Amino acid sequence: KSIKPDEDYINNIAYGYLKRKLYERAESFLKYNISNYPRSFNVYDSIGEYYEEIGDREKAIINYKKSISLNKDSYSKEKLLKLQMK
């Protein structure tokens, strides 16, 4: 069994890249987190924010819905509603 890096740690790295508009790096860390934690609602919320940031509304909605499907109380609910109202 392999040791996985902490989900929050990888997310923080990804958000750091996102803030600096280093989108490819941010995306690679977010996808890495999804591969390590496919049952975490938070990883899909995070990549949803990434897609929203780069203007890919469709992928943002898909990932927010996935997050909500894993946790009905996901923070993605409000983000999804806001996107669908646009």
Side-chain angles (χ1 to χ4, degrees):
K1 188 174 179 179
S2 64
I3 298 173
K4 298 175 187 172
D6 182 71
E7 177 185 339
D8 289 335
Y9 177 72
I10 297 300
N11 240 19
N12 286 335
I13 292 171
Y15 277 108
Y17 285 129
L18 192 56
K19 283 179 187 166
R20 297 194 317 259
K21 301 194 184 315
L22 297 169
Y23 296 120
E24 287 181 22
R25 286 188 179 181
E27 181 182 28
S28 67
F29 277 93
L30 292 165
K31 286 183 174 179
Y32 181 58
N33 238 0
I34 288 172
S35 69
N36 283 330
Y37 300 97
R39 294 189 150 347
S40 167
F41 76 96
N42 188 50
V43 296
Y44 296 99
D45 177 76
S46 297
I47 204 162
E49 285 185 2
Y50 161 78
Y51 285 124
E52 193 171 350
E53 170 86 15
I54 65 165
D56 192 333
R57 186 175 176 273
E58 190 176 315
K59 283 186 180 176
I61 288 170
I62 289 167
N63 282 283
Y64 288 153
K65 285 181 177 179
K66 175 73 174 173
S67 179
I68 295 164
S69 77
L70 293 168
N71 179 349
K72 63 180 176 57
D73 298 320
S74 169
Y75 344 103
S76 292
K77 275 183 160 180
E78 290 176 24
K79 297 171 191 174
L80 180 62
L81 280 174
K82 212 182 286 184
L83 261 185
Q84 289 176 328
M85 293 171 74
K86 287 183 181 176

